[in-house]
Each structure stands twice: as structure tokens, then as C-alpha cells.
Amino acid sequence: MEIDTYRIFLRINENLSEYDGSENIKMKVKDEEIVLNSVDINVREISVGGKPVKFTTDKEKEELNLEGRYSGEVDIEVKFSAKVGQSLMGMYQAGSSKHRMISTQFESTGARRSFPCVDNPGYKAVFYVTLTIPEGHEAISNMPVEAIEKDGKFLKVTFKPTPKMSTYLLYIGVGKFTQFSRKFHNMEIILAGPEGTLGDPDKPIKFAEESVGYYEDYFGIKYALPKMHLISVPEFGAGAMENWGAITFREVLLLVNENTSTSTMRRIGEVIAHEIAHQWFGDLVTMKWWNDLWLNESFATFMAFKVMDHEHPEWDMWGDFLLSETTGAMMGDSLEQSHPIDADVKDPNSVAQIFDEISYGKGASILRMIEAYVGQENFRKGISRYLREHSYGNAKGSDLWTAIEKESGTSVTSVMEAWIKRMGYPVIEVSGRDNKIKLKQKQFRLNGTTTDQIWPVPVTVLGKNGKTSILLDTATKEVDVDGFIKLNVDQTGFYRVNYSDDLFANIKSNMSKLSKYDRFGIISDLFANTVSGNITLAKYLERVSEFFSETEYIVVQELASEMGSLNNLFHDRKDLAEISKKFYRSQLKRLGEKKKGEDGNLSILRGSISTYLAILDRDYARDISKDFSRFETIDPDMSGAVAVAYAVSTNDLEGIIEKFKSTRGDENKLKLIAAMGRVNGRNNLEKVMDLIKSGEMKKQDSIRFYGSVLVPWENRDFALEKLEQVVNSLEDIFVGTGYTSSYLEGAIPLIGLKNKEGLDAVIPKIKRSTTEKGIKKGTELLGIYSKMLEKNSL
Ligand SMILES: [Zn+2]
């Protein structure tokens, strides 16, 4: 079967709640049956070549089966109607009455919820879209508008045909928008959002221009469409989505105003760059099947950091890459319940569960490792060849390795396969002396078990005269080094290291030779080795205390967050809390008051450390919470800390809710939601649940409260009591994403540490195919943390 075109006509009713549709699908078939995908669509009539045909519906398989067999070029006509959905998948209503719009989210299987189609990324086609919409509204799709005709109280909007593309990339948006457009090279970049929400349009458009300019050079291929919309959607399950030429975002990941913090600004730049990378890698060339989803996501993740680092070197994007992508992936991949990057996806609905830290962070970290292995220019040429050879078509992961091999003359496939097909990664134990070290690799698992699996590890060794590289492809190896200092130079490798006491002492005396990434790596490895039980908490604290006066952003940020996590787990360890407070206070003293024009990294650190300290130190919280009355006008990097401080020091939920209702912008609201989880008392927490039910809190943001309420020890009983209700609600809102599963992964250990029996009683009620992975990972983590607490009890 080969599909040529879809001609889709939708007539949307006045209050944007239902539509009538008809479509014409032109395809070539060779003596075969015709099967279309369709979910929750009322199909009235199907004809082939002008003749009505009978059809049956298979709900389970989400299919319409047309009677008979067909050959040659066929024209299929379908007449149907459907409701615009309330969950955030398919074609759905987004936003409250004032800002109501229709938006679509089709990845992975949402298109079939909006019109019958062959909903498989491998079947690309040209789409002709025509929408009849109520007067006073505008419509956005992948391509520019070709014509608008008046039709009574409606408008008929016809769009230009798309290039050949996959169904999951089609976009339809209808609403009352503000749009701001700027010409760039041969295209228009258009920022769009519900009326009156755009803020400062210059920043997001600038990020888009930086990305398009960079990619056109890097890939050697021009952006393919005449325009690119960046659309702010008021309710959105995913963070952002790369629909070709009509990219959608949550407001907080796109729009900039006077309350945008430094870290959110960077995140906006990174997310825009990520989605724009997909316009080539994903949209122009698309994976054949969902098992290669990781390649799309890893690549876009990796490229986004590359572009933003190039355009804004002062941001230290590779530091953020290590902090967020690599660290998150190493955490998830050290569980027995992890999965290989190249996951087996038979059923497209199960793809939702692999939108995780393995597909994004581990894949991106492995691409970074391979780029270092073949060289930046060879890597670039390989990517460019792959995109040129498969434009407007589909490809597999192996096509990319072949292209990189052809350009670099280096065998990539064998190394890639080992890292992609196997889950997990090694820890390398280093012992010996500073002129001869002994390396021993074994699988790193937080639960303390291991396997006899080994990896071909490109290991880098720092000695007193610089860096050397070796391939560690055996379990053990002895290496001669002149003045050994550290393994994994600049943390480009995806492995942990555990040093003997002698060698750690040696690191201490050579601290000045280490880069900030090296120092980050040492701390990150110490933490992982503590959680896994390789070293004790006491040894961890003794070793990290060497870094308390550290001044580099990523090193301080990592240490601050590790201390924060440990205090959440060891909730009643006064000694740990005291040491942490000492560290936080000394850092805040160093950072001082905000200075005009200071480095953004200092400002981010001041905000995050203030939050950690406010949680541990009531006096400090009381002190900074005085600024809560000026919440919207204080430094946006500090306002999150001030909200949390206000919550823990006053427990005044009413005050927080009042602010929540009056403040504008999702970023401010999210900071207040995080603070709501910090107040205590069942009445208070019930009030927040009411706020969610009433629709005053966006559905997409409710997960922020469910996440924050878990953390305070006193609130975990409430989180347990509501767990079933929360899971049901998240399942409705985030259909087709992995959000519920990853929520459970975080929730189960925290709840279970407080009330294991209570948790065990609820688990059977929340167990289903879409939550199973998260329950297993969460349960494994609970076991790991319980063991760590026991081992380190006083
Ligand atoms: Zn992506």
C-alpha cells in the first residue's frame, strides 16, 4: 500500500465542541484489503471509487476494515463526525472560556482520533486541509492559508498542500490568536498564542532564528516550508511538539515576559531548538517505525544543547546537559527495571512508555560519546548525508550509522550496537598507584546486584601530562599512566567510577588540574555510589565536604541538589540537615545580593539554594518570606524560593491561592503550585484538590502539585490516600504519554518510606498496562532507598 494524498474537510461548530468531516484518500494498492485506523469517530459512510462499501469496526485494534480486496489506484471517500476531546490527545479543547481554542496532538496515535487514516509513520502522504470555522476565529495548520471564503456565519479556510509527511505531524489549530511574524531567510517565523498572552515576542523568535540559521548550515539543507509557527497552547500534555511548520508548546516553554526567570529563559531556548531540530530530523526524514523513536529524541536533545551552546557560550549548556540529561539517564538506567535504548515496540500505543530518560538522555549522551569518537566534522557530514539520502522518506537507526561510517571511515556500528541494544552501563573500579592503575568494570546497579555483562567503553584517563584514551573492552585491564589523576575526562563517557581511598586522596591533591565537569563528575559518582551502598553516607559527606567552597555553577548545583534529595530521604537526620545548612549558608554568603548585569548562573544558584535552605531552616524561611507580598515584582530567579519559604513558614494556603488567582503567566502560577504542596494540614490540601477540580488550575499543571505534596514527610499520608484518584486523573489528562508512569516512579519510594503497608494495599488498584513500568521502577527504588537508610542508620 502506498498513500498519495489525504484531502480533509472539517466543519467545526460554533462552540468548538464538535465537527463534521469528509475526506478523500488516494492510495495505490496491490490486491489487498484496506484497513484504516480510527478511534472514537462516528463513521457514517465509506465509498471506494464512488461506490459505497461495507465496513466493520475493530475497537481493540482501533481499525476500520473495508469489505473486499482492491488493486490499482483507489479513491476512498469517508463521511464522519466526532467530538472535540477534553483529554490532551488527538483534537482537543484547550483553555478556559476566554482563551478557548482547538489544538491537536497526534504523536504517537492521535491522528486516528480525529480522522480515519493509515496512522503509521511509514506511510507518508500529501495533506490538503480545509477547515470551516466560526466567524471571528482563525485557523493554523502546517502550511500557509491559500484562501478564505465567507460561508454564512462561518469561514472556509483552505491551506496549501503539505509536502509528503507522516500523519503524526499534521496540525490543526482554531482560536482567537494574536500572531507576530518576522521574515527570516526565505521563510516567515510566526509566534502565535491566545489573544493577549504573547508577552515579548522578540525572544522566542530570536531563538528560532538562531536555530534555523545554525541547522541550515550544519545539515547543509534549507528549511523546507515557507513558514514556521511557534504556537502557545494553554493546555498541553507534552511539553512541546514538532508538527511540521506548526510547532506547539506549553506557554511556560515558549512565552517570555518580565517574570521569566533565567533558567526558564534557557529552557525556552533549548526547547525551541529541540523542536526545530525535528523539522529536519523527524519531519523531513522520519523513522520507519516507533522502535527508532529514541533516535529522533536523542538527536533533537543533543542538537538543542549544541545550538544553544554555540549561540550562548556563557550559559554553559553542556553543564546543563550533564546536570539534566546525563544524570537523569544514569539514574534511570541503573535500575534493574530499565530498558535498552532500542526498545521493542510492537504496538504503537506502548510507545508512550518509552518517552523517557533513556530515549532522550541516554541516547543523547551516547551520541555525544560517538561524536567525540569519530570527530565533530565527520559526525556532521554523516548526519547531512543521512538527511539528504532519505529526505521526504523514512529511515532506520542503522541507516544513520552507515552514513557516519561512510563519512568517517570509522566503524561505528559495533560500538553503537553494544550501547543501544543492552540496557544499563558499567561502573569502573580503579585501584593501584599513580603510575599503574587497575581498571575493573561491572554493571552498575543501584540495588547492589550485578551481571557479568561488559561494554566496549571508550575510557579517557587524566594524568599529570594530560589526557589519554583507551578502549576498555575486557572486564579488567592494567594501564600505565604518568601521574594518574582521574578517569572520564570532562564526563564525556556514560559510566560511573569508584576510586580506592589512596586514589581519592590523590585527586584531592590535584584538584587544580580538574575541569568543572570533572569536579561535577566526582560528586555525581560519589552520590550514586552512596545510594547503591558502595560507600557509606559518612564517607560521602567526608569526601564532598572538600567541595563546599566550590564556586562553579554546575558543581554547586549538583551538590545542592544531592543534599536536597538526601534530606528528603533521611528526613529525621539532624546531623545531615546541619551539614547541609552549613553548605547552603556558606554558598549564599558567597553569592551575596543580586548585582546588576551579574552572570546568570549566579542568579540561578541563588534561587535554587535559597529554596533548599528555606525547607531546612525556618528562621531563614521566615526572613525571605517577607517578600511574598511583592511576589510579582521581585527577581524572578528568587520568587520560587520566596513562595516555598512563605508556605513552610506561615502555612497560609489562602494567601497562596489568592496570589495564584490574581497572578498572570504560567511560570508564576507553577511556582505557587509547587509551594501549595509544602503547606500542611488535610483541610488545606483538600482545598488545593478543589482548585484542581474546579478547573482554576490547568489540568497540565495539576501534576506539579501531586509531585510537590509527596515531598514533606507530614504530607505523604495525604498523597497515599489520594494516590488512586490522582492516577485516574493523570491517566485521563495525559492519555498516550508516559507521565503517569513516571509520576509513580517518583511517588512510590517517598510514600513507601512512610507507609509501606498502606502503599501495598493501593498498588493493585492502580496497576494497569500503562502504569506497570512506573510501579516496577518505583518499587525497585523504594527497596534501594530503604536499604540505604538501614545501612546508614545512626
Ligand atoms: Zn522531541
Side-chain angles (χ1 to χ4, degrees), residues 340-376:
I341 292 181
D342 191 352
D344 188 19
V345 185
K346 290 201 179 65
D347 159 21
N349 286 323
S350 63
V351 76
Q353 293 203 48
I354 56 164
F355 278 90
D356 63 6
E357 72 281 1
I358 304 298
S359 298
Y360 287 70
K362 184 178 181 185
S365 304
I366 302 301
L367 288 177
R368 181 168 174 246
M369 189 168 84
I370 285 297
E371 187 198 38
Y373 187 62
V374 300
Q376 293 195 352

Side-chain angles (χ1 to χ4, degrees), residues 107 240-242 274-275 278 281 293 296-298 300-301 355 360:
E107 188 177 22
M241 174 65 206
E242 68 262 24
H274 177 112
E275 301 309 327
H278 278 312
F281 209 105
L293 169 85
N296 255 7
E297 295 310 341
S298 308
T301 302
F355 278 90
Y360 287 70

Side-chain angles (χ1 to χ4, degrees), residues 584-637:
Y584 294 143
R585 283 191 198 119
S586 71
Q587 284 292 332
L588 285 177
K589 194 167 165 212
R590 174 180 76 83
L591 292 164
E593 291 288 315
K594 183 156 181 148
K595 288 161 214 74
K596 217 174 170 219
E598 75 177 359
D599 177 1
N601 289 327
L602 298 179
S603 193
I604 295 176
L605 268 185
R606 188 182 295 110
S608 63
I609 293 181
S610 298
T611 311
Y612 291 121
L613 183 59
I615 291 164
L616 293 179
D617 181 341
R618 280 300 132 90
D619 291 337
Y620 176 75
R622 211 167 295 125
D623 190 30
I624 65 166
S625 69
K626 290 188 199 107
D627 280 343
F628 187 68
S629 57
R630 305 188 293 121
F631 177 74
E632 282 121 320
T633 53
I634 54 175
D635 173 12
D637 292 340

